Amino acid sequence: MKKSFYYIYTALALLGFSCNKILDTTPQDFVSPVNYYNTESELESALAGVYDRMGDNRVYAQGMASYLVVSDEFFMKNQTSGINANIVDASTLEINRHWEALYTGIERANMLLENIDKAQQVGEAKRKEIKGQVLFLRAYYYFLLTDEFGAVPLKLQSSKSPEEAPLPGSSVKEIYDQILKDMKEAAGLVRSVSDYGYNTRITKTTVQGILARVCLTMAGSPLMDLSKYTEARAYADSVMQSGLHGLNPDFKQIYINHVKEIFDTRENLWEVEFKGTSQGEIQEGGTIGSYNGITCGNIDTGYGYDYVHATAKLYNAYANGDLRRDWTVAPFRFVTTGSTVVRTAWGAGEIYERSNGKWRREYETLLPRNQNNTGTNWPLLRYADILLMFAEADNYLNNGPSEKAYTAVNMVRRRGYGKDVLAPDTQADAPAGLSQQDFQELIVNERLRELAFEGLRKHDLIRWGLYPSVMQVQAREYQTNMPVALRDPAVAQAQRVTARAVLFPIPNSELAVNPNIKQNSGW
């Protein structure tokens, strides 16, 4: 049965004022840090409030599964205005709300960290477990912010007064140093995934895996701290040596499990949990599978908005025999005539017409279905990603791939071809004897094939220093080869990815209250 956080964040909730005394201005029903954070239940509730921002609509419930992560793997079909068309400026609502959601998570984390030791009746082990999760989440929110906005305010204490002076942006290096500090401390405090049996809490291998991602990011653009490859490999290897994780032998089952709300803690180290359909429940549904799912106009079958469409580059990246292609890129759509819904295959030449097929609503178990909201979880870290990160770091450090790097990549590839991941296979295995540069190119393409539509491609292209150039090539590809009915909006979306698009603009909501922060270049 699915373990869930259904707590409502209650700290600092102003519920009402006494009106018995005209001159009595003291709130009579106010939950403040002075009388909160005392019991285990209150700590867990506050912790749930920190996790909660992950499921915001402008974070992983929708934005970071679609319009905030436009790359060469997908385009937004026939979108000509607003964020769905990749039209962004400092006033864009979704960018402002994204920023606010992440800083809300940070503020909640700071409050909990400052007050956690008040709960002396709560055992030390429990307080350490909660503290580790909060430290990690604060660091992760900063990882997203600096990755997307660059030099942002590094706020490590909660707000005590509206009179506090706003902070300037800290350097990207300073922010990453704090991210590493918090995550490394968290690694010694959090528990093992085996203690939970589900993967929506932060665990030791989750921290290690995300530290590998952070270190690979630091090794790339903009910091180019090449020393971090050593740490990235070590953290990925720690997960690999833990014995707690492995590849699900069936690629498609990963996503069926997400839709069916089944936890697979071996493949999936960390997920954002969604539950229910947000209809009269103290549960939070997302839009995974509806906003970014297969074309379908029928709620009973599983409504799909037909926004996120695969590129020919993604489709053609899969070789013959690679089973990932026809699961990742849906080979069909649902056509509704009256009350009849028919699964209709796309023609061989209809590539750009195809939708993201990973999260298929036909597998939902909660009926009746809702048009918008689903309980499908979002994957933040999979074991396949761990293997590919290890191989990338190892290739750099050895000036070429070692046998262990080849094994890591080939395990991912063999699973993609439906083979035994531990048995050499002439069809699936990467060519032997690749140079460092050629092996890195293999990694670039393998991450595209394996992790498509999972919100990582834009991040990868940026850290590799490739985002604007790759997207300008995409614009030319669309102009030349895309069907006329889809072409112009897709071309415009890709053309908007210039050098300034590596970072989002600092939102107007921040600029309006913070005279000490500078707008990013080009915005």
Side-chain angles (χ1 to χ4, degrees):
M1 186 171 181
K2 190 164 186 176
K3 306 278 187 182
S4 304
F5 294 134
Y6 297 148
Y7 302 105
I8 302 174
Y9 180 67
T10 58
L12 298 181
L14 182 60
L15 302 178
F17 292 95
S18 169
C19 58
N20 295 326
K21 300 178 182 179
I22 294 176
L23 297 180
D24 183 357
T25 59
T26 302
Q28 301 298 306
D29 209 2
F30 182 78
V31 182
S32 76
V34 174
N35 53 21
Y36 201 71
Y37 304 105
N38 294 312
T39 66
E40 183 172 330
S41 176
E42 288 174 348
L43 293 184
E44 288 281 10
S45 184
L47 174 62
V50 183
Y51 274 99
D52 175 70
R53 295 299 79 201
M54 306 286 287
D56 188 273
N57 220 38
R58 273 74 177 214
V59 187
Y60 289 111
Q62 186 178 99
M64 296 189 74
S66 54
Y67 50 73
L68 293 179
V69 291
V70 171
S71 73
D72 58 342
E73 65 192 348
F74 74 88
F75 64 99
M76 301 292 282
K77 179 188 172 185
N78 289 338
Q79 298 300 298
T80 59
S81 63
I83 190 71
N84 273 357
N86 203 24
I87 297 173
V88 174
D89 61 30
S91 68
T92 300
L93 176 63
E94 289 78 9
I95 300 298
N96 282 257
R97 293 287 175 82
H98 181 67
W99 172 284
E100 291 163 9
L102 297 178
Y103 268 110
T104 298
I106 290 167
E107 179 72 5
R108 294 175 180 180
N110 285 336
M111 291 176 64
L112 181 46
L113 289 170
E114 290 165 2
N115 290 280
I116 193 169
D117 288 333
K118 286 175 49 185
Q120 289 300 309
Q121 69 271 47
V122 179
E124 183 180 6
K126 185 64 177 179
R127 282 185 283 124
K128 283 184 176 180
E129 174 195 350
I130 292 174
K131 181 180 180 180
Q133 294 177 70
V134 178
L135 280 169
F136 176 87
L137 287 168
R138 181 176 72 176
Y140 188 76
Y141 289 141
Y142 272 120
F143 178 47
L144 296 181
L145 281 163
T146 197
D147 190 48
E148 296 167 336
F149 295 95
V152 301
L154 182 59
K155 192 171 185 293
L156 302 177
Q157 295 180 338
S158 66
S159 297
K160 308 299 189 299
S161 165
E163 306 301 321
E164 293 177 10
L167 297 173
S170 295
S171 71
V172 171
K173 183 183 185 305
E174 183 180 359
I175 297 168
Y176 271 104
D177 286 345
Q178 184 67 43
I179 290 168
L180 290 179
K181 178 178 180 295
D182 282 354
M183 287 190 177
K184 288 178 180 180
E185 183 178 353
L189 298 173
V190 297
R191 294 166 62 182
S192 168
V193 67
S194 60
D195 293 329
Y196 296 114
Y198 55 98
N199 52 20
T200 54
R201 287 239 184 182
I202 306 304
T203 62
K204 189 175 184 66
T205 46
T206 295
V207 177
Q208 293 168 339
I210 295 297
L211 274 166
R213 183 180 293 170
V214 170
C215 289
L216 271 185
T217 304
M218 296 177 72
S221 182
L223 289 181
M224 302 303 295
D225 182 356
L226 302 182
S227 68
K228 294 303 179 196
Y229 279 114
T230 300
E231 289 184 67
R233 180 175 65 176
Y235 284 122
D237 192 52
S238 293
V239 178
M240 293 160 62
Q241 298 305 318
S242 72
L244 295 169
H245 303 285
L247 295 175
N248 188 313
D250 186 349
F251 178 77
K252 69 178 183 296
Q253 193 62 43
I254 300 167
Y255 308 98
I256 294 174
N257 287 343
H258 289 156
V259 178
K260 286 188 171 184
E261 305 183 55
I262 297 172
F263 288 115
D264 172 8
T265 61
R266 288 190 60 77
E267 173 79 35
N268 294 292
L269 281 73
W270 187 25
E271 297 176 4
V272 179
E273 184 173 9
F274 297 102
K275 181 70 176 176
T277 59
S278 300
Q279 303 298 304
E281 308 164 72
I282 307 176
Q283 298 177 349
E284 186 173 49
T287 63
I288 309 305
S290 61
Y291 201 86
N292 62 343
I294 296 174
T295 305
C296 182
N298 184 278
I299 294 176
D300 294 336
T301 305
Y303 199 92
Y305 276 93
D306 198 27
Y307 285 142
V308 176
H309 275 234
T311 63
K313 178 177 182 175
L314 172 61
Y315 184 85
N316 293 327
Y318 299 98
N320 290 334
D322 193 332
L323 304 179
R324 294 174 294 185
R325 186 193 69 186
D326 287 343
W327 188 265
T328 301
V329 183
F332 63 89
R333 76 280 199 193
F334 293 102
V335 176
T336 304
T337 304
S339 60
T340 302
V341 181
V342 179
R343 187 189 300 252
T344 304
W346 292 111
E350 295 176 303
I351 305 302
Y352 283 110
E353 289 83 356
R354 304 183 185 209
S355 308
N356 167 14
K358 278 191 167 177
W359 296 280
R360 303 187 179 190
R361 298 196 64 185
E362 62 193 279
Y363 291 97
E364 288 176 12
T365 57
L366 180 61
L367 302 175
R369 295 180 176 89
N370 179 269
Q371 179 168 320
N372 299 307
N373 296 114
T374 76
T376 298
N377 282 7
W378 179 255
L380 290 170
L381 181 64
R382 294 200 287 113
Y383 189 66
D385 192 2
I386 298 292
L387 294 173
L388 294 175
M389 288 193 290
F390 173 87
E392 181 177 350
D394 185 81
N395 179 55
Y396 175 83
L397 292 169
N398 288 306
N399 295 311
S402 67
E403 181 179 350
K404 195 169 182 179
Y406 261 112
T407 297
V409 171
N410 285 335
M411 287 176 67
V412 175
R413 290 179 57 82
R414 290 166 192 163
R415 194 262 300 273
Y417 283 77
K419 311 289 187 177
D420 182 344
V421 300
L422 298 179
D425 185 87
T426 55
Q427 182 186 27
D429 286 2
L434 293 176
S435 66
Q436 182 188 52
Q437 180 177 351
D438 288 342
F439 194 80
Q440 173 62 21
E441 185 64 22
L442 172 69
I443 293 292
V444 169
N445 292 323
E446 200 58 47
R447 290 184 67 83
L448 172 66
R449 287 184 282 264
E450 177 69 21
L451 302 170
F453 301 127
E454 295 183 34
L456 290 173
R457 183 63 174 180
K458 176 183 175 182
H459 167 82
D460 282 344
L461 291 174
I462 288 172
R463 69 182 178 87
W464 292 325
L466 299 174
Y467 188 45
S469 61
V470 163
M471 293 306 293
Q472 293 306 311
V473 170
Q474 281 298 110
R476 295 192 289 273
E477 153 66 20
Y478 297 156
Q479 187 70 53
T480 303
N481 296 316
M482 186 175 275
V484 172
L486 301 173
R487 183 184 63 205
D488 290 348
V491 170
Q493 290 170 34
Q495 285 178 336
R496 293 185 182 109
V497 180
T498 58
R500 74 172 188 171
V502 169
L503 295 176
F504 286 136
I506 303 297
N508 280 346
S509 59
E510 180 68 16
L511 295 172
V513 298
N514 188 351
N516 299 321
I517 196 166
K518 296 179 180 179
Q519 183 56 279
N520 287 325
S521 177
W523 296 104

